[in-house]
Amino acid sequence: MSRFAGKRALVLGVANKRSIAWAIAKRLADEGAELAFTFQGERIESSVRNLAGTVGSKLVTACDVRSDEDVARVFQEVGEVWDGGLDLLVHSVAFAAAEDLEGRFTDTPRDRFWMAVDISAYSLVATARAAEPLLAARGGGSIVTMTYLGGERAVPHYNVMGVAKATLDASVKYLAWDLGEKSIRVNAVSAGPVRTLAARSIAGFTEMERMFEERAPLRRHIDAGDVATAAAYLLSDEAKNVTGTTLYVDAGYHAMGM
Ligand code: NAD
Ligand code: 0WE
């Protein structure tokens, strides 16, 4: 298929080849899109540059989403390489302090609560705002972010990340309203557990995977490729009348009450 021939996509959140963002980027490239990437921190720069090179990326640039200057510069650079136009934005960024993903949510201090919300939720608002003129210049576009059930229900240890995802989920709906008049769509994919860099270090992840396998209607795991398939749908013109929604790629887990 070449659903993305002639489309230009900016991808935030690749860290390594296991990243959900990388699975999405590869799918977009396979179907004809031109790609630009951001990375956070020198530690992963070479990894992202190497991956980006394999899909002939136009632009690889640093972006810490906490920084308004970084966000402004990134979209300035995107505008320069793509003549002021962008079609697709993939937001696949989240972070909370490791110590806040164990123990009691109740103990989350103020500064780390806001850090998690800043990086994991406000970053969608900031990047959507910066992307808006570039997307509008192409007659509209599509934005996809990554969420998790822990923003809707209490998942033990997900803690402050759950609060950040609830903020992200609500932001998707308000952005969908604001940007809809410019034919810019905003949606989320809610993924089941995937063993990425962000997931591997979590205590009890293996136990959670086992429980997922028992309780999900399909009794099996999902992988990053499944998430990419759903994200590509939402990013494509096939979803031209789909906005403000969440597509669950979780083997049905969210439908269960036990
Ligand atoms: P990952 O570690 O590969 O990706 C997380 C990315 O966030 C990394 O690239 C990291 O560099 C980036 N990031 C963190 N802080 C940043 C900052 N200040 N500025 C810019 N970038 C920053 O892990 P992943 O599992 O691919 O996570 C991607 C998204 O998928 C996240 O939103 C995560 O919450 C979501 N998600 C993951 C799972 C899962 O089980 N892995 C399930 C559902 C949703
Ligand atoms: O969104 C996530 C994880 C995001 C994440 C992961 C880390 C690990 C390293 C955010 N910040 C950090 N900070 C670090 O220092 N997921 C959906 C995966 C995940 O994380 C969990 C889960 C699941 C699922 C944490 C506890 C319980 C379940």
Side-chain angles (χ1 to χ4, degrees):
M1 280 184 284
S2 57
R3 287 179 292 181
F4 302 108
K7 300 284 189 187
R8 299 154 174 178
L10 173 66
V11 180
L12 284 78
V14 177
N16 58 34
K17 68 176 197 305
R18 287 210 169 74
S19 294
I20 289 170
W22 176 242
I24 297 169
K26 251 192 323 184
R27 187 65 53 89
L28 296 177
D30 284 348
E31 296 193 34
E34 282 180 45
L35 293 174
F37 294 88
T38 70
F39 63 88
Q40 190 223 355
E42 286 160 24
R43 269 179 33 223
I44 62 167
E45 174 167 3
S46 61
S47 153
V48 178
R49 285 197 187 281
N50 288 337
L51 291 169
T54 67
V55 294
S57 174
K58 288 272 171 202
L59 176 69
V60 181
T61 192
C63 184
D64 184 327
V65 296
R66 285 170 295 191
S67 158
D68 289 332
E69 294 77 53
D70 274 20
V71 171
R73 178 185 42 75
V74 165
F75 286 89
Q76 164 88 38
E77 290 177 19
V78 167
E80 281 162 17
V81 296
W82 281 331
D83 309 313
L86 177 71
D87 301 290
L88 313 172
L89 177 63
V90 177
H91 174 279
S92 185
V93 170
F95 188 78
E99 58 204 297
D100 294 331
L101 297 175
E102 48 189 48
R104 283 161 32 108
F105 168 66
T106 315
D107 296 329
T108 312
R110 191 188 301 270
D111 59 335
R112 296 205 306 261
F113 181 104
W114 289 116
M115 178 189 68
V117 173
D118 186 15
I119 296 174
S120 313
Y122 184 75
S123 61
L124 179 70
V125 183
T127 54
R129 181 170 61 245
E132 181 178 1
L134 298 165
L135 296 166
R138 302 271 290 175
S142 180
I143 301 175
V144 164
T145 188
M146 300 302 314
T147 190
Y148 175 61
L149 187 64
E152 304 172 65
R153 317 282 171 69
V155 173
H157 307 306
Y158 199 61
N159 296 1
V160 70
M161 267 309 305
V163 173
K165 290 302 191 192
T167 306
L168 180 75
D169 294 350
S171 301
V172 165
K173 295 165 194 163
Y174 283 96
L175 289 169
W177 168 248
D178 279 359
L179 304 184
E181 64 184 357
K182 290 177 180 159
S183 258
I184 299 166
R185 299 182 294 101
V186 188
N187 293 290
V189 175
S190 182
V194 181
R195 268 188 187 263
T196 59
L197 184 65
R200 264 182 312 175
S201 57
I202 280 142
F205 196 78
T206 306
E207 191 198 323
M208 196 181 59
E209 283 183 308
R210 212 174 32 245
M211 188 181 293
F212 186 89
E213 232 171 63
E214 262 171 44
R215 304 207 181 166
L218 295 173
R219 274 91 158 175
R220 62 184 179 227
H221 292 294
I222 65 129
D223 62 29
D226 301 326
V227 179
T229 300
Y233 162 69
L234 291 170
L235 291 165
S236 77
D237 291 340
E238 293 173 79
K240 72 180 165 56
N241 284 321
V242 179
T243 195
T245 198
T246 300
L247 184 45
Y248 293 85
V249 180
D250 67 348
Y253 190 91
H254 71 283
M256 300 301 295
M258 262 281 276

